[in-house]
Amino acid sequence: MIPPPSDQEELPAGAPPTAGARPCIALVDDDRNILTTLSIALQAEGFATRVYADGEAALKALRHNPPDLAIFDIKMPRMDGLELLQKLREKSALPVIFLTSKDEEPDEALGLALGADDYIAKPFSQRLLVARIRAILRRSEFTRSDAAEPEEGDTPETITRGRLEMDPARHRVTWGGRTVSLTVSEFLILEALATRPGVVKSRNQLMDAAYSEDVFVDDRTIDSHIKRLRRKFRAIDSDFDAIETLYGAGYSFADG
């Protein structure tokens, strides 16, 4: 019989992970059975895990010692998953997956608009969750399973557009030499725009760039991401106007 986890405790499952050897997943849920089950399942798949039974405890830990990815339940006491994400996004671009119930579609849309990278509706298969985790880790360049240096020519080229520099291999963005912290979805949307400056990308095209095929978002979500992108760049440069809106058509990146 495996005892329920306590806050900020890594569940024992075999030998303890070597520091830095495995991607670390933080689980935040007030249901101890879910924490125990998911933690054991993820450790069996090669991940290290940390678990938190409420949002307030998780927020402090995620800011102080961020994992590679976090999974939040939406419905939690004290601080729910949406509030946790909103507060986390003030200072962190940590990849986040939401766990939702079938009747929580408005929460799913709001979570994506706030900067979540994906969501999975309960009940879900552990295989699906693991696949989503691996996909996001690959996209965010946090995967540690491939430690070898890439062959010459395989590394994605740095994108330079005026004062913007994007390094897809390191998930790094700078504007005028100053770092801009972006979520995975924000990075992919900006990359889609900056790759072809001056070309208008529709909201549907940006959705395809930022989300997997089985994640459905609406126009408002893309608009929210664009607003967040502009806000982050304007925090560095108040004159930032490189992301242009063509009303009724979509968005483009002005190179110059």
Side-chain angles (χ1 to χ4, degrees), residues 20-23 46-47 134 137-138 141-151 154-156 169:
R22 301 191 291 175
F47 299 103
R134 295 194 190 282
L137 290 176
R138 284 195 298 270
E141 297 300 328
F142 285 129
T143 303
R144 303 177 191 179
S145 58
D146 184 8
E149 289 292 326
E151 296 292 332
D154 289 345
T155 305

Side-chain angles (χ1 to χ4, degrees), residues 50-233:
R50 299 205 304 266
V51 300
Y52 307 93
D54 70 80
E56 289 186 357
L59 180 61
K60 296 177 182 178
L62 296 177
R63 284 176 170 173
H64 177 70
N65 184 23
D68 296 304
L69 181 144
I71 299 173
F72 297 167
D73 186 34
I74 286 186
K75 301 299 184 184
M76 294 186 292
R78 298 177 62 187
M79 181 187 293
D80 65 21
L82 293 172
E83 184 181 359
L84 173 59
L85 177 64
Q86 188 173 25
K87 291 183 178 295
L88 183 68
R89 282 290 175 259
E90 293 173 359
K91 298 183 179 180
S92 173
L94 173 71
V96 171
I97 296 175
F98 266 131
L99 299 182
T100 71
S101 298
K102 289 184 177 180
D103 59 350
E104 293 176 347
E105 289 186 6
D107 289 338
E108 293 166 359
L110 180 55
L112 292 172
L114 289 173
D117 296 283
D118 206 342
Y119 67 85
I120 296 181
K122 302 175 184 176
F124 57 87
S125 73
Q126 293 178 0
R127 180 179 299 179
L128 173 63
L129 178 60
V130 170
R132 296 282 185 88
I133 291 172
R134 295 194 190 282
I136 291 175
L137 290 176
R138 284 195 298 270
R139 286 160 53 195
S140 60
E141 297 300 328
F142 285 129
T143 303
R144 303 177 191 179
S145 58
D146 184 8
E149 289 292 326
E151 296 292 332
E152 185 175 354
D154 289 345
T155 305
E157 295 182 0
T158 298
I159 300 170
T160 302
R161 300 286 183 261
R163 302 181 68 187
L164 174 73
E165 286 195 5
M166 300 187 70
D167 186 346
R170 295 173 176 80
H171 192 80
R172 184 178 300 162
V173 179
T174 61
W175 180 261
R178 299 180 64 183
T179 299
V180 185
S181 179
L182 302 182
T183 67
V184 175
S185 298
E186 291 165 354
F187 186 96
L188 293 173
I189 289 171
L190 181 61
E191 183 180 30
L193 293 171
T195 299
R196 300 189 65 190
V199 174
V200 177
K201 294 280 188 177
S202 69
R203 290 172 176 82
N204 285 336
Q205 289 174 314
L206 296 178
M207 291 176 198
D208 291 342
Y211 295 100
S212 57
E213 293 180 358
D214 50 358
V215 175
F216 301 98
V217 299
D218 58 21
D219 291 356
R220 291 175 298 173
T221 300
I222 297 301
D223 293 342
S224 294
H225 283 311
I226 294 294
K227 289 178 182 177
R228 290 175 60 84
L229 280 166
R230 286 171 171 157
R231 187 181 307 124
K232 289 182 177 182
F233 279 95

